[in-house]
Amino acid sequence: MTAKLTLLTALLACLISPAAEVPPVIEVEGQPLAANARRVMQALEFFGRPLDAELREKLQAAISARDGAAVQALLDPQVLCVVDINPESRVKAQRGPAAALVQQAGHTPVLIKVVNHAASVASLRLSSPQAGPSYAGVAKLTMERERQTHLRENENTQGADRFLEVSMSDAPPMTAHLSGLEVEYALALIYSSEAGKREATLAFDIGQGTQDLGFRAEVPVLLDISPAVTVKLEVKDYDGSDTTARLTFTNAQGQVFPPQARRLAPDFFFQKHLYRPSGSTVLLPPGEFTMEASRGPEYRTVKTKVAIPSAKEITLPVKLERWIHAADFGCYSGDHHIHAAGCAHYTSPSEGMRPEHMFQQVKGEGLNVGCVLAWGYCFDYQRQFFGPQVDLLSEPLTQMKYDMEVSGFGSAALGHVCLLNLRELVYPGAEGIKGWPTWTLPALRWTKQQGGFTGYPHSGSGMQVNSATASKRLLDLYDSSKDARLTAAEAQEVLLPEAFEKIDADHDGGVNEAELVSSHERVLDALPNVAIPDAGGHEIFVTTAHGVCDFISAMDTARLLEWNAWYHLMNCGFPLKAAGETDFPCMSGTRVGQGRTYVKLGKVERIDFKKWCEGLAQGRSYVSDGYAHALDFTVADQHSGDEVRLTQPGRVEVRVKAAFSSETPLEIAYGGALPVAGARLTGDTVNYHDATTGQPYAGGKRRVELIVNGLPVAVREVPADDQVHEIAFSADIHRSSWVAVRQFPQMHTNPVNVIVAGQPIRASRRSAQWCLACIEQLWRVREKNISPAERDAARRAYEEAKEMYRRIAKESPEGS
C-alpha cells in the first residue's frame, strides 16, 4: 500500500508541477503584439501587480522596437498557462513556467499566452470546478428583481470544495475578445477564500463545444496562496458606543471584497455589503480600498480610503455619523416583513439563516424592531426559533420577534398575510403549514383572538391593471346588447375609469373598446383611480370590512397601487393603517428596512414589542424609506391615529416637522422611484417633471403635500439638506375626512381623522364602488382556490362585505 501511495504521489506531483518549460517563440507581426503587451503592462499596474522594474524596462524597449520575438521571450517566463486554439477552434491548454502565487481574499492577475491558429476573435473563457457559488437554491425571479442574475450561475452545484473565483480580465485596457492575431497575451483573475497549498483545475474555452477532447483544455495547478490580513474592526456609533455597522469594501477596479459569490453566513451572497459588530473581523488582502460605512438610512454613508498593509492582523477604526435620529422625536422604526429563508437565502432554501445572522442585519440597519417571519418554504426549520416573546438576542432598542407570513401554503390563495405578535404559530387543527384554511379571513380572526396584529404584505401585488384586459372585461360583463360598446343606459350601474362623457371621445352615445383602453391609460397614473385590478387584488377588502385587518403594507411594491387601495378603503371610513416593509429578501435582498414604519412611542429606554405593534395598528406612525421623515405630524394638535371632532365644517391647522436626507438611497427605492424633488401633481396624475419648466426635478428639494381624502390640497417645498423643517398647512374640512401628509414616493403619514357633526367618513361613493368591484373580481378569478368545504362560508362573508360597501356607497355624497 505504501509503495502504491508513493507512486501515486509522484504521479500527482508531475501532473500539477508548479512550472513547465518556457513556451516556444512564434513568428508574429511585431506592432500588434507590442500593443497587446503594452495593455498587459498597464493592466498589471492597474491591478497593483506591476512587473519588476528591470523586466518593465526591457519589455518597453521591445515594445518600442516592435520586436515580437523579444516581447515573447520576456513575457513567456511569466505565463501561468498556455492556451492553444487549433484551426478547427478546438482549445487545449498546458501549464506555463510561472509560479502559481495567489493572494487569499484578493484578485490576483495571472498571465495567459494564447496561440491562435484559428485567428478566432471569440471571447476566451475561464472556469474551474473549484469556482462557482458556495450556495444553492436561489430563485431566478428573486435574482432578476434584485438585478443580480450573475450570482445565480451554477447555483445548483454547491460543494464544500469551492474556494475560488476565476475569470478573464476583459475590462479596459484589456479587451473582451481575442484579436485574431497568431499570438497574444491575456490576463486571468484568480480569487481564493482559503490560504495555503490548494490544487485547482483551470479550464479554457471560446464557446460551447470548443474544448479539446480528453480534458486537454483543463490544467491542474497547485496554487500557493498567501494568507490575507485579519482586519479587526472597532465600530463606534455617533455617540461613541460600540455598535454594528454596514460596511462595503471596494478596490480601485470597483471589485467588492469579499466577493459576493464566496460568502457564507453571517454574510449573504446577494448583498454587496456585510455587517460587523465592533470587535469582529473581516479578511482582506494587502492593498488600498474604499470603505463605505453606515447603519441604515438615518446615517450618512462615510467613505474612507484605507490601506491594508502586509501584516497578520491590524485594527481598523470605523466611526459612524447620523444625519437624523428619529428616536429623539419619540419615533422608533421597524420592518414587519423579514425572512430568514427562501427566495435568495442559502445554503438550503428550506432552512436558511439562524437568529444571530438575522439580528446582525436588523441592528446593522439601525432598526428598532425586526419581525422575522416563517413561511411555507422554510417553516419546518425556522419554526424552532419562534416564541411568544421577542428573541433572546434582542437588546433594549433593537427588538427581534419571530412570527408568521401566510405564504407558500393554502391560506395564501387569496392573498398573503403578515401575522404579528403571535402566541401560537400553527392554526388550530393544522399540522405545521398543512391543514390551514384556504382563504385568509379565518387566519386573521384566529390571530386577533390571540392578541395578534394582521395585515397584507407587498400590497401592490395583484393590484395591476392591464388596460386592454380591463376594457375587454367591462364589455364582456356589461354589454348586454352585444354590439361591442357600452351605451349610457348599459353603463349606468358600471364603475367606469372616468365619466361616461369623457370616455365617449367621438360623442356617439356609446363607449367602445378603444375608447375604454384610452380611458384606462389616462387614469392609471392617477392617485386615487378606480381602474379594477385584473386579479381583484386580495382579500383585504373583505377582511377590512369584517374588522380583522389592521394594516396594509407599503414601500416595497408600486406606490400608486399600494396607496390607491389604501386611499379607497380609508375613503369608506375604515380605520386601516399603512405599515412599511421590505419583504426581505424576496422583494429586495439589498437590506432590511428599505421600507419601515416609524411608530411614535415617546422617549423610551426599552422597546415594548407589543406596544410598538399596537402603535402600528392604531396608525400612530408614518411609513418611509428612512431617508424621509414626518416628525410630530398634527392636525388641530392631534397626532396620527387620533381624531379631531368638529361640531360643524371648519378649518383645521396642520403642522409637521419634515426632514429629508441629502443622500439618495443606496439602491432602487423598490416599488417607487429614485428620490426626486417630489411628484408634482397635474390634476390627480403623478408627474415626475416640473409643471412649469417641463424638466425633471433636481434632487435638492422635496414636495410635501397635504392630503385630504386622497387628494392634494396644499403643497410645500422642503430642502433635502439633512435638517428638520417645520411647515404648516391649513385645510377647510366640509365633511368628515381623513387628513395626512405625504412625499411621493418616499414617505406618508397615517391620517388624523376629522369627524364633523359625529358623522362617519364617507369621502367617496366611487371608492366604495371600487372596493365592491374588487371583491367581485377577486371572487370571479379566485373562487376556485377556496376548498369546496369552505366555499359556502367564504361566499357568505364576501356577500356581507359587499353589502357593507353598497351601504357605504349610498351614504356617500352623490358624484363623489
Side-chain angles (χ1 to χ4, degrees):
M1 176 66 75
T2 304
K4 289 182 178 179
L5 285 175
T6 303
L7 178 60
L8 179 61
T9 303
L11 288 171
L12 287 173
C14 292
L15 186 65
I16 59 174
S17 172
E21 292 184 3
V22 175
V25 172
I26 297 173
E27 185 175 349
V28 65
E29 288 277 357
Q31 189 276 335
L33 183 61
N36 169 242
R38 182 180 292 110
R39 292 197 304 274
V40 167
M41 287 180 63
Q42 293 170 343
L44 288 170
E45 291 176 6
F46 183 67
F47 285 115
R49 295 289 183 120
L51 300 172
D52 67 63
E54 183 180 355
L55 178 56
R56 272 203 318 273
E57 185 178 345
K58 292 179 179 178
L59 184 58
Q60 187 59 59
I63 290 171
S64 298
R66 298 183 176 182
D67 187 340
V71 167
Q72 293 178 69
L74 292 166
L75 285 181
D76 284 354
Q78 315 301 318
V79 167
L80 183 72
C81 294
V82 180
V83 174
D84 187 285
I85 306 171
N86 74 11
E88 289 75 37
S89 295
R90 289 287 183 180
V91 177
K92 64 180 180 180
Q94 64 184 40
R95 185 73 165 83
L101 303 177
V102 174
Q103 169 64 59
Q104 181 192 18
H107 293 276
T108 303
V110 296
L111 193 61
I112 308 297
K113 184 174 185 178
V114 182
V115 181
N116 191 352
H117 301 289
S120 174
V121 292
S123 295
L124 181 63
R125 302 192 306 189
L126 172 61
S127 61
S128 171
Q130 287 75 41
S134 304
Y135 50 88
V138 60
K140 179 183 178 183
L141 178 61
T142 300
M143 290 293 95
E144 289 175 346
R145 187 159 49 222
E146 297 177 12
R147 300 183 184 180
Q148 300 198 85
T149 51
H150 63 285
L151 294 177
R152 192 175 176 265
E153 297 173 2
N154 302 318
E155 83 280 7
N156 291 319
T157 57
Q158 179 186 355
D161 194 28
R162 297 192 178 279
F163 57 91
L164 288 186
E165 269 197 1
V166 296
S167 64
M168 299 304 300
S169 175
D170 58 5
M174 303 307 291
T175 59
H177 301 276
L178 297 173
S179 67
L181 193 66
E182 296 94 323
V183 174
E184 65 183 287
Y185 293 89
L187 287 179
L189 298 176
I190 299 178
Y191 174 96
S192 175
S193 60
E194 300 179 6
K197 302 284 188 181
R198 296 290 186 275
E199 181 187 341
T201 298
L202 303 182
F204 297 87
D205 70 82
I206 56 170
Q208 186 70 29
T210 61
Q211 288 192 335
D212 202 16
L213 301 178
F215 304 101
R216 289 192 293 175
E218 298 180 0
V219 182
V221 179
L222 182 62
L223 302 174
D224 187 356
I225 308 168
S226 302
V229 181
T230 300
V231 180
K232 184 178 181 181
L233 300 161
E234 286 187 351
V235 183
K236 299 295 182 182
D237 210 340
Y238 73 103
D239 59 359
S241 61
D242 289 343
T243 192
T244 298
R246 180 214 302 147
L247 302 167
T248 306
F249 294 93
T250 54
N251 63 9
Q253 293 79 46
Q255 294 166 316
V256 177
F257 290 80
Q260 290 175 257
R262 292 270 58 82
R263 296 184 184 182
L264 293 173
D267 303 326
F268 294 170
F269 74 88
F270 47 84
Q271 295 176 325
K272 293 181 179 179
H273 54 267
L274 46 84
Y275 296 95
R276 288 293 185 272
S278 190
S280 62
T281 61
V282 62
L283 291 179
L284 293 174
E288 293 188 354
F289 298 88
T290 297
M291 178 180 71
E292 296 183 19
S294 185
R295 192 175 168 240
E298 293 184 39
Y299 287 74
R300 295 185 175 91
T301 300
V302 179
K303 294 185 178 182
T304 308
K305 296 289 185 182
V306 295
I308 305 299
S310 296
K312 184 176 181 181
E313 181 176 324
I314 67 166
T315 299
L316 181 63
V318 180
K319 184 69 170 70
L320 301 177
E321 298 177 8
R322 276 188 180 272
W323 69 271
I324 196 168
H325 196 187
D328 287 344
F329 298 84
C331 298
Y332 296 87
S333 65
D335 184 345
H336 71 263
H337 192 170
I338 299 169
H339 294 300
C343 292
H345 279 299
Y346 62 95
T347 52
S348 168
S350 63
E351 295 183 2
M353 311 304 289
R354 294 184 56 82
E356 55 267 30
H357 306 141
M358 301 310 300
F359 186 77
Q360 195 162 278
Q361 299 267 326
V362 171
K363 185 172 181 180
E365 286 300 326
L367 285 167
N368 301 115
V369 172
C371 301
V372 182
L373 307 183
W375 63 305
Y377 297 103
C378 61
F379 184 82
D380 289 338
Y381 182 82
Q382 289 289 320
R383 67 183 300 179
Q384 66 180 302
F385 306 124
F386 169 77
Q389 306 298 326
V390 296
D391 191 88
L392 293 176
L393 292 170
S394 296
E395 298 174 358
L397 294 177
T398 309
Q399 302 276 296
M400 185 172 71
K401 171 77 163 68
Y402 276 75
D403 274 314
M404 164 70 85
E405 181 191 5
V406 177
S407 174
F409 58 99
S411 291
L414 283 89
H416 298 181
V417 189
C418 292
L419 309 178
L420 309 181
N421 197 44
L422 295 175
R423 296 196 298 268
E424 298 178 3
L425 193 62
V426 178
Y427 189 83
E431 294 182 9
I433 57 174
K434 296 179 180 178
W436 284 59
T438 55
W439 55 309
T440 66
L441 181 59
L444 271 63
R445 283 175 169 162
W446 166 70
T447 301
K448 300 304 290 182
Q449 288 168 2
Q450 59 175 306
F453 302 90
T454 64
Y456 289 78
H458 41 77
S459 56
S461 300
M463 295 289 183
Q464 294 85 355
V465 180
N466 179 283
S467 297
T469 302
S471 300
K472 185 176 184 304
R473 184 172 63 246
L474 287 175
L475 288 172
D476 290 343
L477 289 172
Y478 303 110
D479 177 19
S480 56
S481 62
K482 302 304 177 185
D483 60 351
R485 60 202 288 273
L486 293 179
T487 64
E490 289 172 328
Q492 193 169 4
E493 299 300 323
V494 180
L495 182 64
L496 297 175
E498 297 176 298
F500 182 91
E501 294 76 16
K502 186 171 183 179
I503 301 174
D504 183 15
D506 58 10
H507 307 294
D508 67 348
V511 294
N512 57 36
E513 188 170 345
E515 289 172 327
L516 284 168
V517 169
S518 296
S519 176
H520 277 97
E521 289 297 320
R522 286 193 295 270
V523 305
L524 286 182
D525 285 338
L527 183 60
N529 70 74
V530 292
I532 309 302
D534 299 332
H538 33 73
E539 235 172 38
I540 192 169
F541 306 107
V542 177
T543 56
T544 299
H546 283 276
V548 292
C549 182
D550 295 310
F551 60 87
I552 184 170
S553 301
M555 310 306 293
D556 67 335
T557 48
R559 300 291 182 273
L560 280 168
L561 301 182
E562 296 170 348
W563 294 1
N564 191 56
W566 182 38
Y567 283 9
H568 285 307
L569 284 162
M570 288 194 294
N571 280 351
C572 292
F574 292 115
L576 186 70
K577 308 306 178 187
E581 67 169 18
T582 302
D583 192 4
F584 175 93
C586 296
M587 295 304 295
S588 170
T590 305
R591 59 193 190 280
V592 301
Q594 281 186 275
R596 50 181 68 194
T597 309
Y598 283 88
V599 175
K600 193 170 185 64
L601 298 175
K603 293 298 291 292
V604 298
E605 298 297 323
R606 174 182 289 273
I607 303 293
D608 183 308
F609 179 77
K610 183 179 180 181
K611 287 185 178 178
W612 187 89
C613 289
E614 288 173 348
L616 180 153
Q618 294 165 359
R620 300 182 184 279
S621 60
Y622 60 94
V623 296
S624 168
D625 61 6
Y627 295 91
H629 296 269
L631 307 156
D632 290 343
F633 165 65
T634 62
V635 178
D637 298 325
Q638 298 300 307
H639 292 271
S640 293
D642 292 337
E643 280 188 353
V644 173
R645 292 202 165 257
L646 303 178
T647 57
Q648 60 185 10
R651 175 168 291 190
V652 294
E653 300 300 320
V654 179
R655 298 186 182 278
V656 66
K657 295 175 181 175
F660 297 95
S661 171
S662 57
E663 293 184 9
T664 57
L666 304 182
E667 299 285 347
I668 304 164
Y670 285 89
L674 291 175
V676 292
R680 214 181 260 277
L681 296 180
T682 306
D684 297 336
T685 303
V686 175
N687 186 336
Y688 294 103
H689 296 74
D690 188 291
T692 302
T693 66
Q695 299 299 311
Y697 270 94
K701 292 183 179 180
R702 304 287 187 265
R703 286 177 58 86
V704 178
E705 296 167 313
L706 177 64
I707 307 300
V708 177
N709 296 334
L711 299 175
V713 298
V715 64
R716 299 286 186 273
E717 285 195 344
V718 178
D721 59 359
D722 302 338
Q723 303 298 315
V724 176
H725 298 270
E726 295 192 33
I727 55 180
F729 301 95
S730 62
D732 293 320
I733 305 299
H734 303 288
R735 60 179 185 272
S736 294
S737 303
W738 60 269
V739 180
V741 161
R742 77 179 181 206
Q743 188 273 319
F744 191 94
Q746 291 181 261
M747 175 271 291
H748 207 303
T749 69
N750 273 293
V752 174
N753 288 344
V754 180
I755 305 301
V756 179
Q759 295 300 307
I761 294 175
R762 297 290 184 262
S764 168
R765 179 171 294 187
R766 285 166 66 80
S767 287
Q769 293 169 333
W770 184 81
C771 294
L772 173 61
C774 286
I775 295 176
E776 290 174 336
Q777 179 64 6
L778 180 67
W779 185 264
R780 195 177 289 122
V781 298
R782 295 205 234 178
E783 172 197 1
K784 61 183 180 295
N785 295 333
I786 303 174
S787 71
E790 299 173 277
R791 206 166 291 162
D792 284 344
R795 184 181 287 106
R796 288 194 297 272
Y798 274 53
E799 288 301 326
E800 290 171 11
K802 287 161 61 177
E803 188 55 39
M804 292 184 205
Y805 289 110
R806 292 188 187 100
R807 175 173 51 80
I808 291 169
K810 289 179 181 178
E811 294 172 356
S812 301
E814 224 176 299
S816 61

